[in-house]
């Protein structure tokens, strides 16, 4: 049979029909031990001659189905799902890096990903450096060292929606023997396939578009089988296994990934264009706007630009407060990629856990507002923003 297309894989990949019961969808397997039928089977398993389930932290059928679905969607040789996106990030760092290694992370990104690299990895003798996500190629080229083992960037970046040229970055990294990992949480595989552009690993906060319903915390790592094997070896020691109930919700969420992202792409594009024309809006950041400096790269690499956008409100703190008080459909909260639309004042929110110097370095002023556009009616979303802007 010819290779199946995205939406078919989203529904079917990884889901082996349970022949014993005839169940169409993958069941939630809660058992923590998986028993052996004989000492001979246990012996052959222990010798690595056969594969079977042993213990829930090592592998679980429901979780494995989610891994196989993600691997199929990302065109990856293998994938791991974990208990959160941060588990995916930290397990990738610790699984790949050794004392004496150097890692580069582009600086427009999730706070904990950046700070883990810059501040925490030093405890294990690893040097983490942040580089300018506005010029990722030049910045990485200037900062690469012989011991740079890993380069990690978001694509698109968060919250300024910049888009690195993944193919060029991969060539640069590979010439130095460096692994390129892309956190493609904002894009999801419905919009961007980093592995097909030369990246070695793709990471996700699966909490976001993959699960898609604002009710599951999960992470994923997909890519080259050897790298995945190396990271999985550490994952089993760290123990951040995803609970099978959460794996089931992740599996179910992914079946509608294409549908949800198609709606979010269209609504976010329309809202970004509309916001650009509003007098109380100083700037709009969205990968699908021609005003985005990386629009051409985004256009070349992506088949849609995603549901996340940011904008700067022309208002003081009181005006920002009136904007949020007036919102009726957008809820005030963090996270992104779910069916419910969310709005967040990034700069204000990031006072929690970031110094003023880091907020300035990351360009997170109080008036920067991030929108995660869900699957509600696009006209209702626009009308909600219009009346909130009028209240400013
Ligand atoms: N990567 C990105 C781009 C994120 O936005 C986040 C969280 O917001 C993470 C990783 C961490 O994921 P999680 O919250 O699932 O641990």
């Amino acid at each position: 049979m010819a290779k199946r297309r995205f939406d078919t894989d989203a529904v079917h990949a990884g889901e082996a029909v349970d022949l014993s019961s005839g169940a169409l969808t993958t069941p939630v397997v809660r058992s923590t031990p998986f028993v052996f039928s004989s000492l001979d089977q246990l012996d052959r398993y222990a010798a690595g001659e056969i594969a079977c389930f042993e213990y829930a932290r090592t592998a679980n059928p429901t979780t494995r189905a989610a891994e196989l679905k993600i691997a199929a969607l990302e065109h990856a040789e293998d994938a791991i799902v974990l208990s959160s996106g941060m588990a995916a990030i930290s397990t990738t760092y610790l699984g790949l890096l050794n004392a004496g290694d150097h890692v580069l992370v582009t600086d427009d990104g999730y706070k904990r990903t950046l700070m883990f690299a810059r501040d925490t990895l030093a405890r294990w003798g690893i040097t983490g450096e942040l580089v300018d996500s506005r010029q990722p190629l030049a910045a990485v080229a200037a900062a690469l060292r012989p011991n740079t083992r890993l380069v990690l960037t978001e694509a698109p970046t968060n919250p300024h929606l910049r888009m690195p040229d993944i193919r060029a970055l991969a060539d640069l990294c590979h010439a130095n023997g460096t692994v390129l990992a892309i956190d493609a949480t904002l894009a999801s595989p419905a919009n961007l396939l980093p592995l097909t552009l030369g990246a070695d690993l793709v990471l996700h906060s699966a909490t976001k578009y993959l699960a898609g319903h604002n009710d599951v915390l999960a992470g994923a790592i997909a890519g080259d089988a050897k790298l995945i094997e190396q990271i999985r070896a550490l994952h089993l020691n760290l123990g951040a296994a995803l609970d099978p109930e959460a794996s089931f919700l992740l599996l179910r969420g992914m079946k509608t990934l294409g549908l949800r992202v198609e709606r979010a792409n269209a609504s976010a594009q329309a809202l970004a264009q509309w916001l650009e024309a509003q007098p109380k809006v100083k700037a709009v950041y969205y990968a699908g706007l021609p005003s985005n400096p990386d629009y051409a790269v985004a256009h070349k690499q992506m088949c849609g630009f995603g549901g996340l956008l940011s904008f700067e409100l022309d208002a003081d703190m009181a005006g920002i407060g009136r904007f949020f008080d007036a919102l009726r459909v957008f809820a005030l909260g963090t996270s992104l990629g779910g069916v419910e639309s969310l709005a967040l004042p990034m700069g204000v929110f990031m006072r929690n856990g970031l110094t003023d110097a880091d907020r300035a370095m990351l360009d997170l002023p109080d008036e920067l507002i991030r929108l995660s556009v869900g699957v509600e009616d696009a006209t209702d979303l626009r009308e909600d923003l219009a009346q909130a802007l009028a209240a400013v």
Side-chain angles (χ1 to χ4, degrees), residues 5 38 92 108 123 125 150 210 253 260 277 310-312 366 379:
R5 290 164 184 81
S38 65
T92 299
D108 193 38
R123 292 170 53 192
L150 175 69
L210 293 182
R260 289 184 281 105
S310 303
F311 66 96
E312 283 177 29
D366 288 345
T379 305

Side-chain angles (χ1 to χ4, degrees), residues 83-87 89 109-110 113 154 156 158 183 185-186 204-208 217-219 334-336 370:
S83 56
S84 72
M86 268 320 291
I89 303 279
Y110 183 56
T113 305
E154 293 186 11
N158 170 20
D183 181 335
T185 297
L186 268 58
H204 285 281
S205 167
T207 312
K208 312 298 180 347
L217 198 64
T334 186
S335 203
L336 60 107
R370 190 181 77 179

Side-chain angles (χ1 to χ4, degrees), residues 73-350:
L73 296 180
E74 290 287 2
H75 298 219
E77 289 175 356
D78 202 358
I80 309 173
V81 299
L82 311 90
S83 56
S84 72
M86 268 320 291
I89 303 279
S90 55
T91 306
T92 299
Y93 284 149
L94 296 174
L96 292 181
L97 301 170
N98 294 306
D101 282 346
H102 177 237
V103 52
L104 294 173
V105 183
T106 55
D107 63 3
D108 193 38
Y110 183 56
K111 170 183 82 175
R112 292 184 190 280
T113 305
L114 306 185
M115 299 316 162
F116 197 105
R118 192 191 66 181
D119 304 334
T120 313
L121 286 174
R123 292 170 53 192
W124 295 284
I126 299 157
T127 309
E129 215 182 312
L130 305 184
V131 292
D132 189 353
S133 46
R134 288 166 304 181
Q135 308 289 343
L137 263 186
V140 169
L144 270 180
R145 303 179 193 169
N147 62 336
T148 308
R149 168 81 173 127
L150 175 69
V151 168
L152 170 60
T153 181
E154 293 186 11
T157 66
N158 170 20
H160 291 97
L161 286 300
R162 301 301 297 260
M163 174 52 81
D165 185 326
I166 295 172
R167 173 82 59 197
L169 211 46
D171 289 346
L172 185 65
C173 288
H174 295 160
N176 195 58
T178 302
V179 171
L180 176 64
I182 304 289
D183 181 335
T185 297
L186 268 58
S188 93
N191 282 331
L192 178 72
L193 294 170
L195 302 177
T196 67
L197 298 167
D200 304 291
L201 292 170
V202 57
L203 312 181
H204 285 281
S205 167
T207 312
K208 312 298 180 347
Y209 286 101
L210 293 182
H213 292 74
N214 288 323
D215 55 9
V216 183
L217 198 64
I221 311 166
D224 172 85
K226 279 211 167 61
L227 290 175
I228 292 291
E229 192 184 335
Q230 186 183 344
I231 296 167
R232 196 189 293 278
L234 187 85
H235 168 54
L236 302 187
N237 288 342
L238 292 180
L242 189 64
D243 182 84
E245 211 76 51
S247 296
F248 171 80
L249 289 171
L250 172 58
L251 268 175
R252 191 170 69 172
M254 286 192 286
K255 293 183 193 218
T256 56
L257 180 63
L259 294 169
R260 289 184 281 105
V261 168
E262 199 177 312
R263 168 63 72 91
N265 286 345
S267 300
Q269 180 77 43
L271 287 179
Q273 286 168 212
W274 178 81
L275 279 167
E276 262 196 332
Q278 302 310 304
K280 285 179 190 148
V281 172
K282 287 193 289 189
V284 181
Y285 304 101
Y286 184 59
L289 286 179
S291 57
N292 185 315
D294 299 326
Y295 175 72
V297 180
H299 212 265
K300 185 176 70 175
Q301 296 183 159
M302 303 181 83
C303 40
F305 302 109
L308 198 92
L309 64 106
S310 303
F311 66 96
E312 283 177 29
L313 201 56
D314 194 1
D316 57 11
M317 275 307 288
I320 296 168
R322 286 192 292 276
F323 174 84
F324 280 100
D325 285 347
L327 287 175
R328 291 291 170 268
V329 184
F330 281 90
L332 168 55
T334 186
S335 203
L336 60 107
V339 291
E340 294 91 357
S341 291
L342 289 165
L344 185 70
M346 283 301 285
V348 179
F349 188 66
M350 288 300 161

